[in-house]
Amino acid sequence: QVEVVESGGGLVQSGGSLRLSCVASGFAVDAYAIAWFRQAPGKEREGVSCISRSPGSSTYYEDSVKGRFTISRDKAKNTVYLQMDRLKPEDTAVYYCATEAQTGCGVLALWVPYWGRGTQVTVSS
């Protein structure tokens, strides 16, 4: 059974950093593309970042997080990470890990994935 579980959210000041973790079960984390989405209050869920399957994995970042967020994968821990640096108040949202159990990232807005339950990230100004 495909499952992903997020952790690592919290409260941080503007300019700070957090690292989110997404532990996968039921599949090898390098077998499928895995993405991070976020949903802020009153807004639609949006795709933030994605890493495709390995080898030769590619990454995607939404424009507002390019240069600040880094997605990575640890096969030994079956975990995908989202390192978030220089956080801004507008990054405040519930962050979700997801996989469609397929190899590429494609268009995140079209995903119909397996969702995690989410982890809250709050950035204070």
Side-chain angles (χ1 to χ4, degrees):
Q1 183 177 351
V2 173
E3 186 177 6
V4 290
V5 178
E6 310 93 334
S7 64
L11 173 64
V12 64
Q13 289 188 333
S14 181
S17 298
L18 283 173
R19 188 178 76 162
L20 306 183
S21 299
C22 171
V23 179
S25 60
F27 68 100
V29 76
D30 60 339
Y32 299 139
I34 295 180
W36 286 95
F37 292 75
R38 67 185 180 187
Q39 187 166 20
K43 295 187 177 181
E44 292 189 355
R45 196 174 299 189
E46 64 174 352
V48 175
S49 183
C50 183
I51 185 166
S52 65
R53 69 164 292 172
S54 63
S57 54
S58 61
T59 57
Y60 159 83
Y61 298 96
E62 192 269 330
D63 284 347
S64 69
V65 307
K66 283 181 181 177
R68 300 189 298 121
F69 290 11
T70 304
I71 192 168
S72 62
R73 174 167 46 215
D74 185 332
K75 291 188 290 184
K77 295 183 178 181
N78 219 37
T79 299
V80 168
Y81 300 101
L82 185 68
Q83 177 67 41
M84 305 187 297
D85 298 319
R86 302 195 304 279
L87 282 161
K88 304 175 181 180
E90 51 263 44
D91 294 318
T92 295
V94 178
Y95 283 71
Y96 298 89
C97 178
T99 183
E100 276 197 318
Q102 48 85 25
T103 58
C105 291
V107 179
L108 295 186
L110 300 179
W111 273 34
V112 183
Y114 298 91
W115 293 105
R117 292 185 177 183
T119 185
Q120 175 71 47
V121 171
T122 303
V123 184
S124 62
S125 57

